[in-house]
Amino acid sequence: MKYKNKTMGLYIANVDKIKNNDYYNKIINQNKFFNKKFKTIIICKSPNYSFILRYLFFYKNIIKFFIKFKNNLRFIYIRHPRHNFIFLFLLFFFKVQKKSLIIIEELPTFPLELLKIKFFLNLKVLNLNQHFLRVFSNYFIDHYSAIGNKGIFFKKKVINIFNGIDDTK
């Protein structure tokens, strides 16, 4: 496929890269949609390493790609991130290095109202670490996306996306 310009996107998926896995196939199909407009690269975790090494290489590959292609990078799409301090640092790093970068985070597929309820329930059970990181990460996120949902989440626009299961669209 030929692209009119060198503009790129980065699709970060916090899943193991296992072919013929339904979850990974869904990511591949969603990425096909992005590739209709921009060349978009997927970075996933490798199942060939132990748990700690898997995450180390995952984050290392994200940073290497960003540094190499940041001038051509227009957006980063993040599917179900782990809201931890490393993720927060990455978001900060992306925005400091390239202010015009658009960062989109995909929300889980259940309705947004339930996600909002779950978020506030986490507060009640004193899951403050997760709450703190989710609130802080919102400062770096430009948009949220959800399958079959539109609306507002954390005062940001939610973009409706297709589910990635049916790749005929």
Side-chain angles (χ1 to χ4, degrees):
M1 178 177 282
K2 297 268 183 182
Y3 298 96
K4 293 179 182 176
N5 57 37
K6 294 180 181 180
T7 303
M8 299 176 74
L10 173 60
Y11 188 124
I12 299 172
N14 185 25
V15 299
D16 290 335
K17 185 178 180 176
I18 302 172
K19 301 223 187 290
N20 299 325
N21 171 297
D22 289 338
Y23 200 67
Y24 182 69
N25 288 340
K26 186 175 185 177
I27 290 164
I28 295 295
N29 288 329
Q30 279 183 326
N31 195 56
K32 285 179 187 176
F33 173 77
F34 288 123
N35 273 314
K36 290 178 181 178
K37 286 275 191 189
F38 306 105
K39 181 177 181 177
T40 307
I41 305 301
I42 301 173
I43 296 181
C44 293
K45 296 180 297 186
S46 173
N48 301 330
Y49 300 104
S50 68
F51 180 79
I52 293 172
L53 285 177
R54 193 177 301 168
Y55 276 99
L56 243 131
F57 285 115
F58 177 59
Y59 290 125
K60 178 184 168 209
N61 289 336
I62 292 168
I63 292 169
K64 277 176 53 178
F65 180 89
F66 179 81
I67 290 170
K68 184 173 181 179
F69 295 106
K70 81 174 178 182
N71 292 335
N72 297 339
L73 206 55
R74 180 169 181 186
F75 71 92
I76 296 178
Y77 186 87
I78 305 166
R79 181 177 172 87
H80 308 301
R82 296 184 80 87
H83 287 92
N84 56 33
F85 287 105
I86 296 170
F87 176 68
L88 196 60
F89 170 77
L90 275 177
L91 293 176
F92 174 76
F93 175 73
F94 294 152
K95 284 297 190 173
V96 166
Q97 294 292 315
K98 186 167 184 174
K99 290 178 183 19
S100 64
L101 185 68
I102 297 169
I103 300 177
I104 304 166
E105 179 184 330
E106 183 177 323
L107 299 171
T109 55
F110 50 85
L112 287 178
E113 295 353 318
L114 292 177
L115 186 61
K116 290 175 188 172
I117 291 168
K118 180 182 175 192
F119 176 75
F120 289 111
L121 286 176
N122 280 342
L123 262 180
K124 287 185 178 180
V125 294
L126 299 177
N127 189 353
L128 293 178
N129 185 34
Q130 186 69 23
H131 171 76
F132 167 78
L133 294 171
R134 167 63 93 173
V135 169
F136 244 120
S137 71
N138 184 58
Y139 288 109
F140 305 107
I141 302 294
D142 296 295
H143 300 286
Y144 290 96
S145 69
I147 296 169
N149 285 296
K150 292 182 182 177
I152 303 293
F153 185 72
F154 276 116
K155 298 181 181 181
K156 306 271 173 115
K157 180 181 174 185
V158 175
I159 302 165
N160 184 18
I161 60 169
F162 88 103
N163 65 12
I165 296 170
D166 177 11
D167 64 350
T168 59
K169 294 182 181 180

